[in-house]
Amino acid sequence: MILFLFFCSGATALIYEVIWSKYLTLLFGSTIEAQTVVLAVFMGGLALGNKLFGRMADRKQNPLILYGGIEISVGVYAFLFPLLYWLADAIFAGIGSRLLDYPLGLLFLKGILSAVLLLGPTILMGGTLPVLAAWLQKTTPDGGRRSARFYSTNSLGAVCGAGLAGFLLVRWVGLQTTMELSAAANVLVGVIAIGIGRTQSSLNPDKNNSSTNESPTTISTFHWSCILVALTGAVSMGLEVLASRCLALIFGASLQVFSIVLMAFILGIGLGSAIIASPRLKQSFRELITMSLLLGAAALIGFLVFNINQLATVYLYVQSGLTRTSVGYYYHQVITSIIAIFVLGLPAGALGAVLPLWIRAVSGTTDLLGDRVGRLVTWNTLGAVVGVLMTGFVLMPNIGLRGSFAILGFVLIAAVMFMALVTRRKLVAVFGLVFGVLLAMASVNGGRDWQSILSSGVFRLANMDFSQKESPLKAFLLFREQYTKLLFYEDSADATVSVEGEVTAYSTNEIVLKINGKPDASAYGDHSTQIELAQLPLMVKPDSRDVFCFGMGSGVTAGSTLGYPIDHLTIAENCEPVLSAVKLFTPWNRGVYTNDRVRIYHEDARTVLKLSPQKYDVIISEPSNPWMVGIGSVFSQEFYNLAASRLKPGGIMTQWFHLYEMDDNTMDLVLRTFASVFPNMEIWDIGDEDIVILGSKQPWETGPDVYQRAFDLPQPHDDLASIGFLSPRTVLARQLASQATAFAIPGPGPVQSDNAPILEYDAPKAFYINNGAQSFQDYDERTWQKDLAPVEKNKILAGLNLTNLAPIFHIVYGSGNLQLQSYLTDRYKGNIGSLTFGNQVMPCIFRDTNASLLVYAPPSVKTNLMVRQLYYSEIALLQSGTTQKSKNGSIAVNAIESILDGVQNYKRENEDWSAAHYADIAIKASLRFGDVTQAKAILARGLQMEPDSEQLQYLSRILARD
C-alpha cells in the first residue's frame, strides 16, 4: 500500500511541476532565463528537502506519520496556490515595472518570487524519499534495496503524472482543476499513510539509531558515491536538455512532443531503477556495474551522434505510412514515444540506475539510511541543476547540439576510466579508451549534416516516397545542399535558429529565418504578410506615435512601421539568437535593429506589456505558429485583455494567423477568443494562406479616403506598391471580412484562456492532419457573403479589373481563399473562369461581366412546382442585384418567405433542395432592400427548418447586432 501511495505521490509531483512551471511562465514570461530560474528553484527546493528531512526522519520513531504529514502539507499548499500566485503577480507588476529596463534586476525579482512560491512545497516533496527510506530501514530487513524500489516506483508514478498533465487533464478540466485534483490526491495519500503509520507504531520500535561512528573506509566510499551520483545527475539532465531539443527539431516543437520526451526520460530512470532494485542483483560488483552502466550510456550517446540521419529516416519512413487522420495522429504519438525511449530512455535508464545502486551500497554501512539517502539524492539533484545550466548556457551556444552530446559522452568515459584505474580494472580502462576513440571519430565529421537535418524541418516532410532505392531523406538533403546555403546557425539555450539562403521559383537570393526548424520569416516569400501586418493598422491610423511589435523575426514588419511619423517603436523578442540573425535581413528591414526610434526588449511580450505603463496606438502580434509549445499563451483571452489595456482610445490590435496546417475548429477558437475582447474586427486575406485580424474596442473609419494618407507617405507608398497595392482602392481587394461581418464568423463555443489552454492541445493535432481551415472561405465578402459587404466597398471592388488585381493576387502572394484564387487564375489565363464549386454557383464581386449568371437547379425543379417557384425567385433576385427595392425583387422575397412558411414536414436529408439556401438568399435581399424586420422573420423560419445551418446561424449573429 505504501508503495502504491508513493507511486501516486510521484504522479502528483510531476503534475505540480508541469502546472506550476506553466503558471510561472505566464507570470514571468517565456524567456529561457526566467524558465531556468524557475527550474533551478524547483530542483533546489527538492535538494534542500532531501537534505533537511533525511536526518530528521532517522530520529522519528515512525517516519511514516511524518511522510503522511508531508503529503497533506503539499496538498494544502496546492489548494492555496492560486491565492499566492495572485499576490505574486501583483508584487511582480508593482516592483517589476521599475525594473523593466534593468534585466538583471528583473531576473533577480523573478528568482525571489519563484523561491517564495516554490521553495516551500518543493522542500516538502524532496523530503519524501529520505523519510520513507528511514521508515524502510526501521521496518524491513533490506531497507537499501527497498528504498531503490521505492525510488523506481516514484519515478514510474512521475511518468504517469507527466502523461496525465501533458495529454489529458489540462485539456479536459484546465490548470486550476488539475491542480486541485492533485491536491486532493495528496491529502488522501497523506491521510492513508498516517492511518497505516499509527497501526504500526507499537509494532515496529526504533531498531537502533546510535551507529554513527563509521570507519574511514566507509566514509570515503560514501563521499565517492556522492560525487558519482552528482556526475550522473548532471549528465542525465544535460542529456535530457539535448535530446528534447534534438527530438523537437525532428518531431516538431509541440507541447505533446516535449511531454513525450519528458515521459521517456523518467520512464528510463524508473525502469533502470527497477532493475537495480531487484533482489536477484548482487551488490558485490557495484563498481563494475556502475562502470558498465556509464559505458553503456556513452555508447548510446555515441550511436546517436553518428546516426542522426538514420534516426530521421526511420521517423520519416514509419510516419509516411500513417493516415492524416485523428487515428493516425495517435499512432504518430506512439511512434515518437518509441523513438524517444530509444534515444533518451535507454541512456537515461543506464544513468538513472546509478543512484539506486549506490543507495543499496551505502545502506549496509549505517543505520542512518534516511540521512544517507537524503544526501545522495541531494547531490544527484544539485548535479542535475549544474547539468542543465552547463548544457544550456555553455555547451550548446559554443559547440552546438552535436558537440554537446559528444562532450557528455566523453565525461562518462572519463569517469569510467578514472574508476577503472582506481579499482585496478585494466580491461575496463581499455574498453573506456576504445569507446572514447570511437566517439571522437564519430564526432570529428558530420557536424554539417546535423545542422542541415535539424534546420530542415523534418517534421514537415510528410508522405515521402520510400519505394525508390535511394533514401528520400538523402535525396532531399542533396537537393538542399545544391539550392540552399546555411548563412547562420546557433543552438542556444532557448532555441535553434538558422538563416538559409535559397534559390526559389520567384527569387535567386531568398533568405529564410527558421526557429526550431520552422520557417518564421523571409525576405521574399513572406514579404506580403510582413508588410501588411504593419501597413493595415497604420493605414487607418497614420498619425500613430507609439507602436508595439511582438516578435522581431526578420524585422521587415517592424521596419515597415518606421515609414510613418511614429515617435517610438517597442519590440519584444524573447529568443536571443533571432536578434543576431535579424542583421542578415538589413537590406529588407531598413536597419530596424539600429534605428534610434526603436527600443528592443529581450523579454516576453506579455511581460513587457504587463510591466510597462506605455500606451500604444497600434499593437502588432506576430508570433510563431500556435502548435509550437508556449505560443498558445499569446492567443489567450488574458493576453488580449492585457493588450487592450495598453491601447490608447481607438487603438488597433493586429493579430497574424494562418489557414494552412489548421482546421476549422481551431480557427474558430482563435477568432472567438479575439472577438471576446475586441468586438469590432476586420479580417484580411494577405496571401499564402495567411490572415491578419484587426480589432478594437471601438469602430474605426476605413476605406480609400482613409488609406490615401498612407499613400502620400514615400516609404509606405513603396511598401504598398511592392505587394501590388497601386492605389487606395486596390487595398480593399484583400479584405475578406469588414467590420460589418467579421465579428459574426466564429460561433459560440470555448475560448483560449490561461486556465484552459485548448489551443496548445488542438493546434498540434490540426498541424498533423493538415487539412487546412477550409470553411473560412464561406464567409468571404468578396464571394459568398458579398451581399453583406458595405455598399461602397462593393462598388469599389466591382470596378477593379484584371490589371488592378494581377499585381495583388499573383503566384507568390495568392489568395488564401482557394476558390477565389482558382477563379482568378482562370481569368489570368484568358478563360472566363468557373464559378461552380460542387453544386453551388459562387457569387464573386470580381466576376467577369461576360460570365453567364448560373443558378444550380435541383432535379425536382422539373417535377415540383414549389421548388420551381423557389428557383425562379432566386434568378429574379440575382438579376435585380441592386440595393434599391424593385418590384420583381420584392415579389421574389415575398414568394420565398411564403413558400417556406407553407412547407410541412421538411427534412433536409429527404430533399434535393435546401430551405437554408433559399432563406439565406431572401434574408440578404431583405437586408439590401433595408427591410430588417422581414429578414428576421425569414431567418426565424429558416432556423426552424434547418437549425444546424451554419450560414443561418452566422446571419443570426449579424442580425442580433443590427
Side-chain angles (χ1 to χ4, degrees):
M1 175 57 72
I2 302 302
L3 198 63
F4 173 71
L5 295 181
F6 203 42
F7 175 91
C8 297
S9 177
T12 58
L14 246 293
I15 291 174
Y16 290 140
E17 181 178 348
V18 171
I19 299 297
W20 290 342
S21 296
K22 177 68 175 175
Y23 268 113
L24 268 64
T25 297
L26 294 170
L27 176 60
F28 301 139
S30 60
T31 63
I32 187 60
E33 291 81 6
Q35 293 170 2
T36 302
V37 164
V38 171
L39 180 62
V41 170
F42 195 96
M43 299 186 73
L46 294 177
L48 190 57
N50 300 148
K51 175 68 176 175
L52 293 177
F53 279 96
R55 187 169 291 266
M56 182 192 305
D58 288 318
R59 293 196 297 266
K60 295 290 182 180
Q61 182 175 354
N62 193 331
L64 193 56
I65 295 177
L66 175 59
Y67 167 72
I70 291 174
E71 292 290 345
I72 292 173
S73 299
V74 171
V76 170
Y77 179 86
F79 277 119
L80 296 174
F81 184 84
L83 174 61
L84 299 173
Y85 175 82
W86 178 80
L87 291 173
D89 187 46
I91 294 170
F92 181 64
I95 300 177
S97 60
R98 303 183 183 92
L99 299 174
L100 186 58
D101 292 320
Y102 304 95
L104 290 179
L106 188 61
L107 188 62
F108 180 75
L109 176 62
K110 293 175 181 178
I112 293 296
L113 291 176
S114 297
V116 170
L117 284 173
L118 295 182
L119 270 184
T122 52
I123 288 173
L124 291 170
M125 289 190 290
T128 55
L129 180 61
V131 168
L132 287 178
W135 173 73
L136 289 167
Q137 181 81 335
K138 296 173 185 293
T139 58
T140 66
D142 192 0
R145 184 188 67 78
R146 292 179 184 272
S147 295
R149 183 184 178 194
F150 268 62
Y151 176 76
S152 168
T153 302
N154 188 255
S155 299
L156 295 175
V159 176
C160 178
L164 289 172
F167 291 94
L168 300 176
L169 289 178
V170 176
R171 175 64 180 87
W172 290 349
V173 299
L175 291 174
Q176 184 168 336
T177 302
T178 298
M179 184 165 56
E180 290 170 349
L181 290 173
S182 300
N186 274 120
V187 172
L188 182 60
V189 165
V191 169
I192 295 174
I194 290 174
I196 295 174
R198 285 180 174 170
T199 63
Q200 290 184 340
S201 59
S202 60
L203 302 176
N204 298 285
D206 189 358
K207 289 164 62 178
N208 184 10
N209 282 336
S210 59
S211 300
T212 57
N213 297 320
E214 301 173 277
S215 68
T217 302
T218 302
I219 295 173
S220 175
T221 301
F222 178 71
H223 289 166
W224 161 250
S225 65
C226 289
I227 296 172
L228 186 60
V229 297
L231 176 70
T232 56
V235 174
S236 63
M237 279 303 293
L239 181 64
E240 199 267 344
V241 170
L242 297 175
S244 296
R245 174 68 57 75
C246 180
L247 294 176
L249 289 168
I250 294 175
F251 301 152
S254 68
L255 172 68
Q256 288 70 29
V257 167
F258 282 102
S259 297
I260 285 171
V261 171
L262 178 62
M263 291 170 66
F265 177 68
I266 304 173
L267 179 64
I269 292 174
L271 294 179
S273 304
I275 294 171
I276 291 299
S278 171
R280 297 186 181 89
L281 184 69
K282 305 302 179 184
Q283 294 298 298
S284 358
F285 301 103
R286 58 178 179 265
E287 290 86 0
L288 184 60
I289 294 173
T290 300
M291 289 184 284
S292 299
L293 291 171
L294 299 185
L295 275 181
L300 290 167
I301 292 172
F303 183 81
L304 174 63
V305 168
F306 190 69
N307 288 281
I308 187 68
N309 285 18
Q310 286 75 8
L311 174 64
T313 301
V314 168
Y315 167 70
L316 289 173
Y317 177 76
V318 177
Q319 66 96 34
S320 68
L322 299 177
T323 58
R324 294 285 159 171
T325 62
S326 296
V327 174
Y329 174 69
Y330 296 125
Y331 277 117
H332 178 265
Q333 305 290 58
V334 173
I335 290 168
T336 55
S337 300
I338 293 172
I339 295 175
I341 289 170
F342 177 78
V343 172
L344 178 59
L346 292 180
L351 294 171
V354 174
L355 175 61
L357 176 66
W358 285 90
I359 287 177
R360 290 187 65 175
V362 302
S363 64
T365 64
T366 178
D367 289 326
L368 302 177
L369 184 59
D371 175 63
R372 287 291 184 258
V373 169
R375 290 167 67 179
L376 281 173
V377 179
T378 297
W379 279 98
N380 183 259
T381 306
L382 292 176
V385 173
V386 173
V388 169
L389 296 176
M390 289 295 294
T391 304
F393 293 96
V394 178
L395 294 181
M396 275 203 295
N398 291 290
I399 59 177
L401 272 169
R402 189 171 186 271
S404 300
F405 272 116
I407 289 295
L408 295 184
F410 285 130
V411 168
L412 294 177
I413 290 170
V416 168
M417 294 186 68
F418 179 77
M419 287 183 67
L421 293 175
V422 170
T423 58
R424 298 180 181 179
R425 288 183 169 88
K426 296 181 180 180
L427 184 59
V428 176
V430 171
F431 270 111
L433 182 61
V434 171
F435 274 57
V437 171
L438 292 174
L439 182 58
M441 292 173 61
S443 306
V444 169
N445 296 311
R448 195 72 177 177
D449 288 344
W450 266 67
Q451 293 182 356
S452 181
I453 290 171
L454 297 183
S455 64
S456 66
V458 174
F459 48 87
R460 274 184 159 174
L461 305 179
N463 300 322
M464 280 192 158
D465 183 10
F466 281 84
S467 62
Q468 306 299 319
K469 291 183 179 180
E470 184 178 32
S471 163
L473 178 62
K474 183 178 179 181
F476 172 74
L477 293 176
L478 288 173
F479 177 83
R480 274 177 55 83
E481 186 177 338
Q482 183 178 359
Y483 293 100
T484 302
K485 181 179 180 182
L486 197 61
L487 305 176
F488 175 90
Y489 184 94
E490 182 175 339
D491 290 314
S492 70
D494 47 353
T496 292
V497 177
S498 62
V499 177
E500 298 176 351
E502 297 181 354
V503 176
T504 66
Y506 49 85
S507 174
T508 57
N509 62 338
E510 168 75 303
I511 63 172
V512 179
L513 172 72
K514 291 185 174 183
I515 300 177
N516 289 331
K518 192 197 76 64
D520 269 335
S522 63
Y524 294 99
D526 296 306
H527 182 69
S528 177
T529 296
Q530 294 165 155
I531 293 297
E532 290 185 69
L533 272 165
Q535 292 298 324
L536 289 175
L538 287 169
M539 276 195 294
V540 295
K541 293 189 71 67
D543 298 326
S544 297
R545 295 300 174 187
D546 299 286
V547 176
F548 180 88
C549 191
F550 165 30
M552 173 66 84
S554 63
V556 173
T557 295
S560 188
T561 68
L562 296 176
Y564 290 86
I566 63 175
D567 296 326
H568 302 101
L569 170 62
T570 303
I571 302 174
E573 175 55 65
N574 64 351
C575 184
E576 191 167 9
V578 171
L579 299 178
S580 300
V582 72
K583 298 170 186 176
L584 295 172
F585 292 87
T586 298
W588 297 273
N589 62 32
R590 295 186 171 91
V592 65
Y593 190 79
T594 56
N595 192 287
D596 57 8
R597 287 184 289 165
V598 178
R599 175 70 168 91
I600 300 173
Y601 288 98
H602 172 43
E603 187 55 83
D604 183 82
R606 286 182 63 139
T607 303
V608 176
L609 291 174
K610 179 191 294 185
L611 299 185
S612 173
Q614 176 70 52
K615 298 278 188 176
Y616 301 96
D617 298 285
V618 170
I619 294 177
I620 301 172
S621 179
E622 191 180 6
S624 191
N625 302 60
W627 54 263
M628 299 188 74
V629 65
I631 300 300
S633 64
V634 292
F635 286 96
S636 71
Q637 193 175 55
E638 289 82 356
F639 175 72
Y640 290 136
N641 279 320
L642 175 60
S645 72
R646 291 294 181 261
L647 284 172
K648 298 176 184 178
I652 302 287
M653 177 70 189
T654 310
Q655 177 67 64
W656 168 86
F657 200 65
H658 57 101
L659 306 177
Y660 61 89
E661 298 171 344
M662 279 295 104
D663 60 19
D664 297 328
N665 290 334
T666 306
M667 175 62 67
D668 281 348
L669 172 67
V670 171
L671 290 176
R672 188 184 305 116
T673 305
F674 189 89
S676 70
V677 177
F678 300 104
N680 301 282
M681 296 167 55
E682 290 178 354
I683 301 174
W684 294 77
D685 160 31
I686 58 176
D688 198 24
E689 298 186 77
D690 288 336
I691 64 170
V692 166
I693 313 166
L694 301 185
S696 181
K697 291 287 191 180
Q698 301 86 26
W700 64 91
E701 293 185 7
T702 187
D705 292 342
V706 176
Y707 305 151
Q708 182 62 55
R709 292 179 292 171
F711 279 82
D712 292 337
L713 298 171
Q715 184 178 314
H717 180 278
D718 293 344
D719 284 347
L720 291 165
S722 71
I723 55 175
F725 294 147
L726 303 181
S727 71
R729 293 186 313 121
T730 59
V731 174
L732 285 173
R734 283 286 187 188
Q735 191 182 76
L736 187 144
S738 67
Q739 294 174 58
T741 66
F743 72 93
I745 293 177
V751 298
Q752 168 79 355
S753 69
D754 289 346
N755 182 59
I758 305 168
L759 191 62
E760 297 181 16
Y761 294 84
D762 290 358
K765 184 177 179 180
F767 166 73
Y768 175 82
I769 296 174
N770 196 19
N771 284 336
Q774 299 183 25
S775 67
F776 203 69
Q777 58 197 3
D778 296 340
Y779 303 102
D780 195 331
E781 288 181 4
R782 299 164 299 179
T783 56
W784 300 105
Q785 309 302 338
K786 75 179 184 64
D787 291 335
L788 297 175
V791 175
E792 289 303 315
K793 174 184 174 181
N794 277 347
K795 288 181 180 179
I796 293 168
L797 295 183
L800 299 179
N801 55 36
L802 282 184
T803 302
N804 306 128
L805 297 174
I808 301 171
F809 299 107
H810 56 69
I811 188 171
V812 180
Y813 312 127
S815 173
N817 185 336
L818 301 183
Q819 294 176 348
L820 175 61
Q821 185 62 46
S822 174
Y823 170 68
L824 291 175
T825 300
D826 279 347
R827 288 193 60 192
Y828 298 154
K829 294 177 180 178
N831 302 323
I832 291 178
S834 173
L835 288 166
T836 303
F837 293 92
N839 61 4
Q840 294 282 337
V841 181
M842 181 184 76
C844 182
I845 197 66
F846 304 128
R847 184 179 63 84
D848 188 340
T849 55
N850 295 320
S852 58
L853 295 174
L854 299 175
V855 175
Y856 168 70
S860 58
V861 164
K862 297 180 180 179
T863 59
N864 188 314
L865 176 61
M866 180 193 69
V867 177
R868 187 155 57 248
Q869 290 175 328
L870 289 170
Y871 172 71
Y872 285 120
S873 296
E874 179 179 2
I875 292 177
L877 287 173
L878 186 62
Q879 290 173 340
S880 68
T882 175
T883 58
Q884 299 300 318
K885 189 171 184 178
S886 65
K887 181 178 180 180
N888 288 341
S890 179
I891 292 173
V893 171
N894 291 337
I896 293 175
E897 181 179 21
S898 176
I899 292 170
L900 294 180
D901 284 341
V903 173
Q904 301 294 326
N905 301 320
Y906 172 83
K907 291 186 178 180
R908 178 68 183 92
E909 61 272 18
N910 297 333
E911 306 290 346
D912 65 352
W913 63 279
S914 168
H917 171 70
Y918 290 108
D920 172 53
I921 294 168
I923 291 166
K924 289 176 179 176
S926 298
L927 292 175
R928 289 203 312 273
F929 300 154
D931 194 340
V932 177
T933 301
Q934 185 176 33
K936 290 183 176 181
I938 298 171
L939 173 66
R941 177 56 180 154
L943 285 172
Q944 284 178 348
M945 300 178 74
E946 290 192 37
D948 295 332
S949 168
E950 293 184 2
Q951 175 64 18
L952 293 184
Q953 291 171 2
Y954 161 73
L955 289 173
S956 72
R957 293 190 287 273
I958 291 176
L959 287 172
R961 176 173 286 192
D962 290 340

